Amino acid sequence: MPPPTPKPSRHSSTPPGATSNGSAEDAIDALPVGFELYDADDRLVLANRTLRAMYPVIADLMREHRTFEQLVRANHAAGALRTPEPFDTWLPKRLAQRRQHPGTPVLHRIDDGRWVRGFEMPTADGGLVGVRLDVSELVQQQSRAEAATRQLQEAIDALPDGFALYDADDRLAVFNRRYCELYAASAPAIRVGATFEEILRHGLAHGQYPDAAGHEDDWLAERLYRHRNPGPPQLQQLPGNRWLRIDE
């Protein structure tokens, strides 16, 4: 009886668990962030769907293997790119940054008001791979927070009394102009991050507290104790026979 004829088998060159080039490109195309790959001549060889949607006016050019500079110039010429300085001044710096300082995050505004943050890293063959994220919401949130901070500072500056806020480490976090005016001799030391004790010592060294003359160390110890263990309002003498009421 002849031996059974072996059945033909089909072998794939792709190892188990690996993906083909087509599958990899499909996966890149499905990413929710913009993806770009440039070759050693700085020509775009791969751009995914999200990236083309971010820059619709040059989406077709992205399929033509244009250089990064050509794409940027086309985007600017179409009025879809805003730069922080004149374009001809900004572009050489941007081109140099891509090669000399890779990995540095790049933030720029698109003409429709959106903000995009990009990250670029070199590849082993001299190319450049990058991802771009739409961070418009984060930028808007930061802008609103900064506006709220400015409004708060303006409100505090409008107070007729001196105001100072110290954090849990007793470092100055917020203060108004009136606070500096009242303690004019201490003003150079009044800055965000300075401790209450540092400000007091500067004032003692510059005659801010007349009633401390001759017993500065004892005065300082008592003032720090009352500051750290606040109770009823206290009176404090200033130069020129002026007096303050302090509430802590």
Side-chain angles (χ1 to χ4, degrees):
M1 183 175 179
T5 303
K7 294 181 178 180
S9 61
R10 184 175 181 180
H11 298 272
S12 170
S13 60
T14 303
T19 60
S20 66
N21 287 341
S23 298
E25 290 185 10
D26 289 342
I28 290 172
D29 210 37
L31 290 173
V33 298
F35 179 91
E36 56 192 336
L37 177 63
Y38 288 82
D39 63 17
D41 296 322
D42 213 17
R43 292 186 177 276
L44 185 64
V45 296
L46 180 61
N48 71 350
R49 184 185 313 158
T50 305
L51 187 74
R52 292 192 298 272
M54 283 181 176
Y55 305 96
V57 300
I58 56 171
D60 291 338
L61 297 180
M62 290 183 181
R63 297 183 174 91
E64 299 178 3
H65 303 298
R66 299 291 185 95
T67 65
F68 176 79
E69 181 176 353
Q70 289 172 335
L71 292 172
V72 171
R73 287 187 178 279
N75 203 32
H76 178 262
L81 175 65
R82 297 186 182 183
T83 57
E85 55 187 329
F87 180 76
D88 290 336
T89 301
W90 171 85
L91 182 58
K93 297 178 183 178
R94 179 68 179 95
L95 295 174
Q97 182 270 329
R98 276 168 62 80
R99 295 299 175 178
Q100 298 173 8
H101 305 285
T104 303
V106 177
L107 181 68
H108 70 272
R109 188 179 183 185
I110 302 177
D111 188 61
D112 61 6
R114 289 179 296 126
W115 287 88
V116 172
R117 186 182 299 277
F119 301 87
E120 301 163 334
M121 292 297 294
T123 60
D125 61 358
L128 204 70
V129 63
V131 293
R132 295 176 184 259
L133 299 83
D134 188 327
V135 293
S136 302
E137 184 175 350
L138 291 176
V139 172
Q140 292 167 2
Q141 289 176 354
Q142 181 179 357
S143 178
R144 288 193 293 268
E146 291 174 351
T149 299
R150 287 194 300 270
Q151 290 174 348
L152 176 61
Q153 185 64 54
E154 289 171 0
I156 292 173
D157 278 336
L159 293 173
D161 301 322
F163 177 90
L165 173 66
Y166 289 84
D167 65 17
D169 296 321
D170 212 17
R171 293 186 178 277
L172 188 59
V174 180
F175 62 96
N176 66 356
R177 287 193 294 266
R178 184 59 176 154
Y179 187 69
C180 292
E181 292 169 357
L182 292 172
Y183 294 100
S186 302
I190 299 175
R191 63 185 185 279
V192 172
T195 65
F196 183 70
E197 182 174 350
E198 289 170 347
I199 296 173
L200 286 183
R201 288 186 178 279
H202 183 93
L204 284 170
H206 293 81
Q208 181 69 81
Y209 311 104
D211 57 342
H215 57 101
E216 287 83 359
D217 290 342
D218 292 339
W219 184 95
L220 178 63
E222 181 183 357
R223 182 66 187 93
L224 288 174
Y225 176 83
R226 285 188 279 120
H227 173 72
R228 293 163 183 166
N229 300 275
Q234 53 189 291
L235 293 178
Q236 184 178 79
Q237 185 181 9
L238 296 181
N241 198 28
R242 299 171 61 221
W243 293 81
L244 294 183
R245 167 177 159 155
I246 301 174
D247 295 273
E248 292 180 315

